[in-house]
Amino acid sequence: MARAINQALREEMRRSEDVVVLGEDVGKKGGVFLVTEGLLDEFGPERVMDTPLSESGIIGFAMGLAMAGLRPVAEIQFVDFIYQGFEELINHVAKLRYRSGNEFASPLVVRAPYGPGVRVGLYHSQSPETYFIHTPGLIVVTPSSPYNAKGLLKAAVRGEDPVVFLEPKRIYWSPKEEVPEEDYVVELGRGRVAREGRDVTVITYGASVWDALKAADEVAGDISVEVIDLMTLWPLDINLVLSSVKKTGRLVVVHEAPRTLGLGAEISALVAEKAVEYLAAPVVRVTGPDVPTAPISLEDLYMPNPARIKGGIMRAMKY
């Protein structure tokens, strides 16, 4: 995924001189996870800008660049640091089109590694996607594989609205898959069926897609599990969600973020409003607990691993 995102940035910067990259250590170092490695050498310091340690400055500067006609891709080194830039992102970037009566837009992307799984502690393991989903005006994207990471990022860079692009860092380097060299995009706002099934639907995103697929494999002899990969968290592909739930009659929602008011709660409410008559069992949520973040020594217990997802599937089936 790290290489695919690098390739997407490189291709979009070659495609348009308006695309610029900025953030802490994105230039000479190539980012903490080397996602921007080599871009400075090819495009120079006017288009690949190392910034001061100021998230409010990074996002505010990116907004100004976007208003001036450029297409900035701003990196927040870890999403846990983004709170310093909340004023700019939530109060200004997200609301610019509305506030200006459509006179201005914010065609910018804010990239950030997120989530637990690599044992880096309190301020490097958070999953705060719900904050952005709750903010009208922001598109929120979380890829689950190299192929859709590249295609989604290219679509985000070409769009006309601000995108928060959350990269699950525990799958930056594994698993691997072939990524086309020719130009392609993955449409924003659309999910995908990662695995066809008929008995129960598991809806998830990011690194948890792989955990869900593993859990589905483990029960495959007895239970047919359909796995839905949302990819774009908001706007949600509600038609895909509902069509799968109507087919299977059971729903398990999985995410690494804390349980309370996580995306699973919204999905549960939408299904209850629009498809409750199709449900054969209550919706099951398999999530992170309501604690500040994943503790280093207990990450395996914090995350919705395949064993916990399998347990959620069994609860839905036994109801």
Side-chain angles (χ1 to χ4, degrees):
M1 183 181 288
R3 293 294 93 199
I5 294 170
N6 179 278
Q7 193 176 74
L9 291 171
R10 195 179 299 273
E11 290 178 8
E12 291 305 299
M13 294 179 79
R14 289 172 180 168
R15 180 175 177 270
S16 172
E17 292 186 354
D18 290 338
V19 180
V20 297
V21 171
L22 65 152
E24 299 165 9
D25 295 324
V26 298
K28 185 178 294 186
K29 181 177 176 59
V32 171
F33 296 97
L34 304 181
V35 173
T36 56
E37 186 178 34
L39 299 183
L40 177 64
D41 294 336
E42 180 171 351
F43 300 103
E46 290 187 352
R47 295 184 63 197
V48 182
M49 295 168 276
D50 280 326
T51 66
L53 303 181
S54 171
E55 283 69 32
S56 61
I58 293 168
I59 296 175
F61 187 42
M63 178 178 172
L65 292 172
M67 292 177 69
L70 299 180
R71 291 184 173 272
V73 181
E75 178 181 300
I76 303 299
Q77 199 168 74
F78 289 85
V79 76
D80 315 59
F81 306 161
I82 203 169
Y83 306 112
Q84 288 284 347
F86 250 43
E87 166 67 13
E88 286 73 17
L89 182 61
I90 304 302
N91 241 359
H92 299 291
V93 171
K95 296 174 174 60
L96 181 61
R97 184 185 290 279
Y98 177 85
R99 180 185 179 193
S100 68
N102 209 34
E103 184 175 352
F104 292 101
S106 297
L108 64 89
V109 179
V110 178
R111 294 181 39 251
Y114 88 102
V118 294
R119 300 188 185 279
V120 286
L122 176 61
Y123 294 115
H124 302 78
S125 300
Q126 296 175 43
S127 298
E129 55 266 30
T130 306
Y131 291 126
F132 312 118
I133 295 167
H134 187 68
T135 303
L138 295 179
I139 296 170
V140 186
V141 175
T142 302
S144 62
S145 73
Y147 177 87
N148 61 48
K150 181 180 177 181
L152 288 165
L153 183 55
K154 289 168 74 71
V157 171
R158 298 179 191 184
E160 296 300 325
D161 291 296
V163 177
V164 177
F165 196 87
L166 300 173
E167 300 165 8
K169 55 182 172 287
R170 69 182 169 102
I171 56 171
Y172 264 143
W173 300 104
S174 177
K176 299 179 180 180
E177 69 177 351
E178 294 294 324
V179 174
E181 293 185 0
E182 61 269 18
D183 184 44
Y184 72 95
V185 297
V186 174
E187 183 181 355
L188 301 179
R190 299 290 296 274
R192 69 183 181 102
V193 179
R195 178 191 180 107
E196 295 273 0
R198 63 181 181 276
D199 295 329
V200 59
T201 297
V202 175
I203 294 177
T204 189
Y205 51 89
S208 293
V209 171
W210 299 97
D211 298 319
L213 290 171
K214 185 174 181 180
D217 284 340
E218 291 178 359
V219 300
D222 303 306
I223 303 169
S224 175
V225 179
E226 181 149 292
V227 178
I228 301 296
D229 176 6
L230 293 177
M231 298 196 295
T232 300
L233 308 189
W234 207 261
L236 184 71
D237 191 349
I238 187 61
N239 290 331
L240 177 64
V241 169
L242 293 178
S243 65
S244 181
V245 171
K246 289 176 180 179
K247 178 173 69 172
T248 67
R250 291 176 171 83
L251 174 59
V252 178
V253 188
V254 178
H255 57 70
E256 296 170 345
R259 179 183 181 88
T260 301
L261 294 179
L263 182 55
E266 179 64 22
I267 292 172
S268 300
L270 286 169
V271 170
E273 289 173 358
K274 299 177 183 294
V276 68
E277 67 271 26
Y278 293 91
L279 289 176
V283 176
V284 175
R285 285 182 286 168
V286 181
T287 71
D290 290 330
V291 299
T293 191
I296 291 177
S297 60
L298 299 173
E299 274 195 333
D300 293 340
L301 297 178
Y302 175 95
M303 291 188 296
N305 56 35
R308 290 183 59 208
I309 297 171
K310 181 179 176 180
I313 292 169
M314 300 308 295
R315 289 200 304 277
M317 293 301 301
K318 290 179 179 179
Y319 180 79

